[in-house]
Amino acid sequence: MKILLIAIGTRGDVQPFLTLGRALVARGHRVSLAAPQGFTAEAEAAGLDAHPLPMDFQELLQKPEMQGALTSLSGKLKAYRWATDLMNQQLTAIWELGLALEPQLLLHHFKGSLAPWLAERLGIASIPVMLQPGFTPTGDYPQFLIAARSLGRWLNRASYALILPLMRWGTTSMIRRWTRATGIDPGPKRDPLAGHDPRGAARRLHAYSPTLFPRDPAWPEAETQTGYLFAEPPDWSPPADLTAFLEAGDPPIYVGFGSMPGIDHARTTRAVLGALERTGRRAVIATGWGGIADLDPSPNFHVLSSVPHAWLFPRVAAVVHHGGSGTTHEGLRWGRPSIVCPLFADQPMFGQRVFELGAGPRPVRQKALTADRLAEAIEVALRPEVAARAADLGEQIREEDGLGGTIALVERYA
């Protein structure tokens, strides 16, 4: 079967689609990946046909307009006009690619919101792949843009009635602007948060761990939860200096904020270094895409730009991170306590859930991050009872087969 994967976003948004694509290719499917620039080599190594979109997210996140949009409402308003041309380019690229490839099935990140229109034009099914909860109403937890902690079942459900229509309005408005700018008519109005299936009820795939967020039994059958799309630990050869550091003492903690640009790099770096000094802990520090400033070498910590989480996390004592879906799942998969320092969007929700499950301290927002607060959070995470709880959750998560369940769902359409 010819399958097109549409993955829009940063590393955490794209990596699960790379994993899924590799598994589908191994089962004999022809898989194409439309993703931002920077993932072509990995896609081709996985056996996928790579189609980079005209967007470099690493470069984009360093722009002042985008950093302002991530951290404030006024910043979002200022970035609105600047981002319109950029989004028009992405929509045109996705539309033209889909028509040219003529796939038999679309699987897409929710940011690939044009997919239902494209699927209808092609007469095929599209399945949105949700890497976090928050797109199907439930009383179990609120929509993450409203709150991280439960508001009670009635208010939890009401939060979706407020946010989801705004999401739909924003996306359909974006598509209308694209239509006016390009003259391309994608067809009648559709729900950008839903899939499309010309044969019946459209499915929506919830690719996050049921150990973290169990499926609401009140959901209709079309809401399918499989679990997170974990890759196998890579056959990766670490640099000699990283191996030497890991072998030089007790397991270190990992500190890294992934693709997030951060608010104040220097302040965040001071907080991290101060916390390590206060706790006496060793650390592997990943500078990522800019959340942590440049660091001088030190015998107490090892600095690198990035490292495969599935390789490193089994070798550390705890994980300090921003609370993205991928890093949260990967840390808990290996039974490691998480210290979540969220910035925005779904990150506070993941941090709160880690705390509620007993696998880490209360989240410490990056806006409020200090050496003392981070040091206290690290000490809480390394308490025996917290480490034991994280280990228990890791055993449960490793029993899940999100990738196998997703492949089974996909092959029903073959």
Side-chain angles (χ1 to χ4, degrees), residues 395-413:
E395 290 184 7
Q396 296 176 47
I397 292 172
R398 290 193 298 274
E399 289 295 316
E400 300 168 3
D401 186 12
L403 187 57
T406 300
I407 290 172
L409 174 63
V410 169
E411 293 188 339
R412 293 181 202 170
Y413 287 86

Side-chain angles (χ1 to χ4, degrees), residues 91-367:
L91 293 172
T92 298
I94 291 170
W95 185 259
E96 293 178 348
L97 177 64
L99 296 182
L101 292 178
E102 297 184 334
Q104 295 163 288
L105 180 66
L106 291 176
L107 289 101
H108 58 98
H109 190 279
F110 80 89
K111 295 174 189 172
S113 48
L114 188 60
W117 282 268
L118 180 57
E120 183 175 40
R121 175 64 60 89
L122 294 170
I124 63 173
S126 69
I127 304 175
V129 180
M130 307 304 187
L131 302 175
Q132 60 278 101
F135 299 94
T136 303
T138 177
D140 295 343
Y141 40 81
Q143 210 288 330
F144 56 78
L145 294 178
I146 291 289
R149 289 183 288 183
S150 177
L151 304 172
R153 294 194 63 83
W154 186 87
L155 286 176
N156 285 346
R157 186 168 289 277
S159 68
Y160 293 85
L162 175 63
I163 292 297
L164 296 186
L166 289 175
M167 286 185 170
R168 292 186 178 98
W169 174 81
T171 302
T172 53
S173 296
M174 176 184 68
I175 291 174
R176 284 197 299 269
R177 291 193 299 273
W178 169 68
T179 295
R180 289 195 298 268
T182 63
I184 298 173
D185 181 7
K189 181 178 178 181
R190 302 205 58 81
D191 183 353
L193 301 181
H196 172 73
D197 191 338
R199 299 175 298 182
R203 288 192 174 273
R204 186 157 31 190
L205 179 62
H206 300 266
Y208 49 85
S209 169
T211 299
L212 299 185
F213 294 94
R215 182 184 186 278
D216 187 335
W219 284 352
E221 188 268 341
E223 303 285 351
T224 304
Q225 185 173 15
T226 58
Y228 193 75
L229 303 174
F230 288 115
E232 290 297 318
D235 183 16
W236 185 69
S237 297
D241 54 351
L242 174 58
T243 299
F245 180 80
L246 293 173
E247 294 176 349
D250 293 334
I253 62 173
Y254 167 85
V255 182
F257 301 115
S259 305
M260 294 300 100
I263 300 172
D264 185 331
H265 303 172
R267 183 172 62 81
T268 299
T269 303
R270 286 195 301 271
V272 169
L273 297 184
L276 295 179
E277 182 178 357
R278 285 163 172 74
T279 60
R281 301 288 179 178
R282 301 182 336 125
V284 173
I285 302 176
T287 55
W289 284 7
I292 298 175
D294 293 336
L295 296 170
D296 295 325
S298 167
N300 196 44
F301 54 81
H302 182 82
V303 182
L304 36 69
S305 59
S306 64
V307 61
H309 290 171
W311 184 92
L312 180 65
F313 285 2
R315 296 167 169 84
V316 302
V319 181
V320 180
H321 60 97
H322 59 294
S325 178
T327 314
T328 302
H329 276 91
E330 198 68 62
L332 293 179
R333 173 195 187 186
W334 300 109
R336 299 304 183 252
S338 276
I339 300 101
V340 178
C341 304
L343 187 62
F344 69 104
D346 58 340
Q347 297 165 11
M349 173 191 67
F350 276 111
Q352 181 65 24
R353 189 60 179 152
V354 166
F355 169 68
E356 291 172 352
L357 290 171
R362 292 184 184 275
V364 183
R365 286 186 175 267
Q366 287 192 36
K367 290 181 179 180

